[in-house]
């Protein structure tokens, strides 16, 4: 287990990810599970067609659509708890900012395959992707609520461009498909209580199976301008901020959003 701040930082720097096993205790997990299972049921009821045909995740978990203020505060307090802030601060030491949350589950439609990608490929063509890899930093903090197969990552790709094969597969070019196996993929199986931290811009894919239900928290380095990506409704209001023990992550985002408007 890697725990020390500089070790975490150098693992992340070299590999693009690290895992801390057994990081959350049963009572921390049970508070989180309670809130997330409520969200997930309401979300599924409200999105039945999408859930049954295409979905493998939901997002905006901290928003007001499905959760009551008390549960949102519990979730905000989990996201910014000491254990997670220690990890976030080790990778983004200056003003880390909250971006969003996602919840990954097994697709109901068993024909769906998991797919290799870098997150930045959905916003940029190849030149923009290269720039994003060099200049910006977005972190995924994955918190599995149950044991799951986890993720497959290609270590080091947070800092290097694709091989010809990686590019063809993840962009589905030259007759290749994004679910093909890639050399260098490392499977990271996860158990409830583990924490996986990885770079959004490394080449990765989810592994479907077991009881997969994973909360994914996205955090960004303010050097990259992502404030516009943040949905206002997913941030705490003033009354909620008063109930969050360490609200830095959210305050940083609110400040960046107000700077962007001025
Ligand atoms: O778990 C998955 O299906 C994919 C996860 C992923 O791509 C992500 O967290 O960015």
């Amino acid at each position: 287990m890697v725990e020390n701040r500089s070790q975490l930082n150098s693992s992340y720097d070299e590999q693009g990810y690290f895992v801390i096993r057994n990081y959350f205790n049963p009572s921390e997990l049970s508070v989180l599970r309670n809130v997330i299972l409520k969200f997930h049921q309401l979300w599924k009821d409200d999105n039945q067609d999408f859930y049954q045909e295409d979905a493998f995740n939901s997002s905006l978990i901290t928003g007001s659509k499905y959760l009551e203020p008390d549960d949102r505060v519990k979730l905000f307090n989990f996201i910014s708890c000491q254990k997670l802030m220690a990890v976030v601060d080790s990778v983004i030491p200056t003003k880390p900012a909250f971006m969003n949350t996602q919840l990954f589950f097994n697709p109901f439609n068993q024909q769906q395959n998991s797919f290799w990608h870098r997150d930045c490929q959905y916003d940029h063509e190849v030149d923009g992707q290269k720039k994003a890899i060099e200049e910006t930093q977005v972190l995924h903090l994955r918190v599995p609520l149950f044991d799951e197969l986890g993720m497959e990552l290609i270590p080091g790709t947070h800092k290097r461009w694709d091989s010809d094969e990686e590019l063809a597969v993840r962009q589905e070019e030259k007759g290749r498909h994004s679910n093909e196996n890639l050399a260098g993929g490392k499977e990271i199986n996860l158990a409830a209580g583990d924490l996986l931290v990885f770079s959004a811009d490394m080449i990765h894919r989810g592994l479907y199976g077991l009881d997969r239900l994973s909360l994914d928290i996205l955090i960004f380095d303010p050097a990259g301008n992502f404030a516009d990506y943040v949905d206002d409704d997913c941030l705490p209001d003033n009354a909620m901020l008063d109930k969050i023990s360490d609200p830095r992550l959210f305050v940083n985002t609110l400040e960046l959003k107000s700077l962007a408007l001025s």
Side-chain angles (χ1 to χ4, degrees):
M1 181 169 23
V2 213
E3 292 251 353
N4 153 313
R5 186 177 281 214
S6 72
Q7 273 179 314
L8 295 181
N9 191 296
S10 55
S11 294
Y12 184 84
D13 196 49
E14 284 159 26
Q15 306 288 318
Y17 76 95
F18 56 83
V19 193
I20 310 182
R21 301 283 174 196
N22 261 317
Y23 200 42
F24 298 105
N25 63 42
S27 85
E28 289 162 331
L29 270 187
S30 120
V31 172
L32 181 66
R33 242 186 232 133
N34 246 320
V35 175
I36 295 295
L37 287 172
K38 246 185 248 180
F39 174 94
H40 191 44
Q41 191 56 53
L42 294 167
W43 182 89
K44 281 193 293 188
D45 293 347
D46 201 27
N47 293 275
Q48 285 182 25
D49 292 346
F50 176 49
Y51 174 62
Q52 291 186 6
E53 284 157 26
D54 293 315
F56 56 90
N57 73 349
S58 54
S59 62
L60 312 175
I61 325 296
T62 59
S64 63
K65 190 162 181 190
Y66 301 111
L67 292 179
E68 297 297 327
D70 278 3
D71 281 332
R72 294 179 66 205
V73 168
K74 284 184 196 155
L75 197 48
F76 288 128
N77 268 312
F78 179 81
I79 290 168
S80 56
C81 68
Q82 265 185 353
K83 285 184 178 175
L84 284 176
M85 288 310 295
V87 164
V88 168
D89 288 335
S90 72
V91 183
I92 305 179
T94 311
K95 296 215 156 212
F98 172 80
M99 183 188 279
N100 196 0
T101 44
Q102 300 173 301
L103 186 61
F104 289 92
F105 45 80
N106 286 321
F108 180 91
N109 173 358
Q110 308 224 340
Q111 307 303 315
Q112 276 182 247
N113 290 312
S114 102
F115 53 94
W116 291 107
H117 62 284
R118 298 183 189 262
D119 284 10
C120 58
Q121 77 186 64
Y122 303 110
D123 292 319
H124 301 289
E125 298 299 327
V126 159
D127 283 348
Q129 293 175 28
K130 289 182 178 167
K131 207 161 141 38
I133 292 165
E134 275 167 29
E135 295 176 8
T136 63
Q137 191 67 261
V138 179
L139 279 189
H140 281 281
L141 305 171
R142 188 177 179 103
V143 184
L145 299 177
F146 301 99
D147 296 355
E148 62 169 42
L149 297 180
M151 300 283 304
E152 192 171 0
L153 310 169
I154 306 193
T157 50
H158 63 310
K159 286 212 171 153
R160 70 155 174 86
W161 188 240
D162 303 49
S163 66
D164 290 347
E165 182 172 48
E166 287 163 352
L167 187 64
V169 166
R170 78 174 167 88
Q171 301 252 120
E172 303 217 298
E173 291 166 355
K174 303 178 182 163
R176 305 298 297 268
H177 296 284
S178 58
N179 65 331
E180 290 179 39
N181 288 333
L182 278 176
K186 186 168 165 90
E187 290 192 11
I188 318 279
N189 299 155
L190 296 170
D194 292 349
L195 170 70
L196 168 66
V197 178
F198 66 100
S199 159
D201 287 329
M202 75 190 302
I203 302 178
H204 62 276
R205 66 171 168 179
L207 297 172
Y208 303 160
L210 299 183
D211 293 324
R212 164 180 144 107
L213 191 65
S214 239
L215 176 67
D216 184 277
I217 303 161
L218 285 144
I219 307 290
F220 66 99
D221 184 319
N225 191 0
F226 292 104
D228 284 353
Y229 286 58
V230 185
D231 187 322
D232 290 335
D233 181 58
C234 288
L235 291 167
D237 59 24
N238 285 335
M240 291 178 183
L241 280 174
D242 284 344
K243 297 181 189 155
I244 301 173
S245 310
D246 178 1
R248 283 183 293 138
L249 274 182
F250 312 107
V251 171
N252 291 341
T253 306
L254 287 162
E255 280 175 9
L256 289 167
K257 281 180 90 68
S258 74
L259 270 177
L261 287 176
S262 63

